Each structure stands twice: as structure tokens, then as C-alpha cells.
Amino acid sequence: MHPHVHTVYAFLDLVGTFAFAVSGAVAARQKRLDLFGVVSVAFTVACGGGILRDVCIGATPPVGLSDWRYLAVSLAASALAIIAYPQVRRLRQPVLFFDAIGLGLFAVSGAEKSLVYGQSVELAIILGTVSAVGGGVMRDVLLSRVPAILEKDIYALAALLGAAVQVGFIYAGWIDWWTPWFATAVCVLVRLASLYFGWRLPVFGDDARR
């Protein structure tokens, strides 16, 4: 892989870490957690999915624990959420906004890293999705909420689509600086469009008809 392209993927991973950390820190602030709670949730959201991915592909110790930049980015995002919380709150549903950005970035970088470690196409797409949704699931569990991927929102499906587009680009030989950004944009736009237009997956059972 060209060094420039590798740098793009590393940058994607760190930007995704920041976006997820902001979403976690804002959610923790909304739950009125203390300083330790805000930082802990931010780091868990930012690095939880990546740690799961790295353990699955044998990239140990996980980069989220071995690379100081991930902790530094999480701390910076926590500081932003604490210091500039009134400004961040002006964004419409800020947790969902930053979560959508992190979702796309992690789906793409997770799929690419899985391929680098010799995983199959199917596993790369699955682990890209795990990278994207793992931190959000941990956040929702910590904050006593039903995880988004278990509800009817289009969440994991958007991550799956972004990871699949990225893997498709790689196998087609279309590896350039723009390909990860395009795949990320597909995931983010599908997620945000589902929120804006109210797209939902089918729900089954008596409650779904009420």
C-alpha cells in the first residue's frame, strides 16, 4: 500500500476516535456524570470498537491501548465537551451527529486494517462494522440505554454499507486518497438521512402495530 494512502487511513482512525469521543463525552455530560465518568465514557466509546477489532484480528496489544495518541485524542475531546459544552449543544442532536461521523470513519478504517492483517472479504466487512458500532454499544450500556443497533434505527446497516464500499474499492484496485473518504461519506450520509427522513427497519411483534 502506498505510504500516503496508509497515512490517510491512520488519520481517519484518529479523526474517528475524536468524533466518537466527543459523542461519548457529550452523552456523559447530558447524564451529569463527574469528570472521571466523562473521560471514561469518552475513551470507551472512542476505542472500544477498535480494541474489539484488534483482538479479533490478532493485532495485540490493541492500538487503542498501546498508542498514546488515542488516549490524548480522547482527553482532548473530553475537554472540548466540558469547556465548550454550551456551544456543542447548539448542534442539533450533537451526540447523533458526531456518532454518525465516527461510525463512517471507523467502518472504513476497520475494514481496511482487517484486510491488511490478511482477513477475508466477509470478515473485513464484519470487523469494520464491529469497529464502528462497538464503542456506541458500550456507551449505551454504560449509560443504561438500549443500544442503537438493537433498535429499529438504521445504524449498523449504515456501517456495514460503508465497510462494504471500502472493501469493494480495494478489491477493484481503486486505491487512492479519495476512496476512504467516499466510503465514509456513504456511511455518514445513509445514517444522517435515516435520522432526517425517519427511515426505519421493520419491527415485529404486537407493539410494532400500536
Side-chain angles (χ1 to χ4, degrees), residues 157-179:
L157 184 62
L160 188 70
L161 181 59
V165 170
Q166 176 61 20
V167 171
F169 277 146
I170 292 174
Y171 267 78
W174 297 342
I175 304 175
D176 207 338
W177 67 267
W178 60 269
T179 54

Side-chain angles (χ1 to χ4, degrees), residues 17-108:
T17 298
F18 183 81
F20 264 150
V22 170
S23 77
V26 171
R29 277 292 308 267
Q30 290 173 342
K31 286 286 188 175
R32 302 183 64 82
L33 300 188
D34 62 14
L35 176 61
F36 181 79
V38 171
V39 174
S40 297
V41 172
F43 179 78
T44 299
V45 177
C47 300
I51 290 172
L52 287 176
R53 174 202 64 212
D54 288 351
V55 169
C56 288
I57 65 178
T60 54
V63 68
L65 300 178
S66 61
D67 190 333
W68 64 270
R69 293 178 297 176
Y70 288 83
L71 177 59
V73 167
S74 299
L75 291 173
S78 300
L80 175 66
I82 292 171
I83 297 172
Y85 184 65
Q87 288 74 27
V88 174
R89 284 192 63 187
R90 293 195 184 113
L91 292 172
R92 182 178 179 271
Q93 297 180 306
V95 174
L96 294 176
F97 176 77
F98 284 106
D99 192 67
I101 295 175
L103 190 74
L105 292 169
F106 269 27
V108 171

Side-chain angles (χ1 to χ4, degrees), residues 2 4 15 40 42 56 59 89 101 104 139 152-153 155 167 174 190:
H2 193 280
H4 175 70
V15 173
S40 297
C56 288
R89 284 192 63 187
I101 295 175
R139 174 199 63 215
K152 54 189 177 182
D153 284 347
Y155 187 76
V167 171
W174 297 342
V190 169

Side-chain angles (χ1 to χ4, degrees), residues 5-17 69 105 109 181:
V5 177
H6 178 74
T7 300
V8 170
Y9 287 119
F11 179 72
L12 279 173
D13 212 33
L14 287 172
V15 173
T17 298
R69 293 178 297 176
L105 292 169
S109 64
W181 297 110

